Amino acid sequence: MKIALFAKDWDHEIWAQRIRDELPQAEVRGPHNLGNPSEIDYAFVWKPDAGFLQSLTNLKVICSLGAGVDFLFADNTLPNVPVVRVVDPDLTTRMSEYVVLQCLLHHRRTLHNLRAQTEKNWVPHDDVAASEVRVSVLGLGILGMDAVRKLRVMGYNVAGWSRSPKAIEGLSTFHGTDGLDAILERTDILVSLLPHTPETDGLLNLDLFRKLASSGPLGGPVVINAGRGKSQVAADIVTAIQTGILTGASLDVFEQEPLPADSPLWSLPNVIITPHNSASSSPRATTSYLARQIRLFEAGKAMESVVDVSRGY
């Protein structure tokens, strides 16, 4: 069994060793010691160079080293083989930690307190109860549903939106275009965990922000995006913050990464920037999950998380 590993800007040796630990029979090759590309059976990748996968002429399965796969489908030379993404409790938990943390930071006015601290300024203020804050989650897949559950534990008034109808006990759900407008009207904090698809491209824009509740307990709406950078329009977020349409944002993903140093997002008040690490892939958990998928495939059994190409996830 020969595996090609291509994880741009990651420590290849750490990941290669983890793959060898999980699949001792595997020979792991990187892009610089690939040998004969036709010998490669499986590819474990994160943002490989365009055309790299096409060069692996006898490839059986492509494994994304993260939950995202949009980078793969952006390559119009992608081989016609199964694509597997990571669906792992470790990654899911990390994402929910991020979502809950960001909601609390905005709800409890933490940036305001930190600014007051740097000025040695004692400014007491009252915070509303979590039950008064309406949080809406866009995307009710595995990541979205786990975030919903944990936000509800914190006491937030939570609703969810998905492209197609979903009936979830105890949760107000909305779907489709009409449902999106309806959920925005009741939203103080909007959390996007959506994949990047043609339908979500540029979805988080000024028109959408104007539909959010403007008279909620936080003084205005907040947007949290830990889904995909291409789902947001950065210039519109800047405009919305500067004009008061949004009172805050937490952004973990961007149209261009790394975020350029001259982006105005860096210095906007009440905007939290994180370097696409809301749910960083753990080498141990990720390789364990993907190795299980390879063993299933080798045994002629169905893998657990083959991507639905038509939906992009």
Side-chain angles (χ1 to χ4, degrees), residues 99-110 154 156 189:
V99 170
V100 172
L101 171 64
Q102 300 306 317
C103 287
L104 285 168
L105 289 174
H106 291 285
H107 163 209
R108 299 301 299 267
R109 300 174 65 187
T110 301
M154 298 304 299
Y156 288 109
I189 299 179

Side-chain angles (χ1 to χ4, degrees), residues 7 41 44 65-66 75 98 112 131 167 173 184 201 240 260-261 265 285 287 309:
D41 301 298
F44 285 44
L65 290 170
D75 182 357
Y98 179 89
H112 169 86
S131 60
T173 57
L184 294 174
D201 191 80
L265 289 171
T287 54
V309 177

Side-chain angles (χ1 to χ4, degrees), residues 75-130:
D75 182 357
N76 58 17
T77 68
L78 187 70
N80 185 24
V81 299
V83 173
V84 173
R85 68 186 182 100
V86 176
V87 179
D88 184 78
D90 176 80
L91 188 149
T92 302
T93 297
R94 290 168 187 254
M95 180 61 80
S96 293
E97 290 170 355
Y98 179 89
V99 170
V100 172
L101 171 64
Q102 300 306 317
C103 287
L104 285 168
L105 289 174
H106 291 285
H107 163 209
R108 299 301 299 267
R109 300 174 65 187
T110 301
L111 293 183
H112 169 86
N113 289 334
L114 289 174
R115 285 194 295 270
Q117 179 180 339
T118 62
E119 298 166 0
K120 301 180 181 178
N121 191 8
W122 185 275
V123 187
H125 58 82
D126 294 327
D127 292 313
V128 298

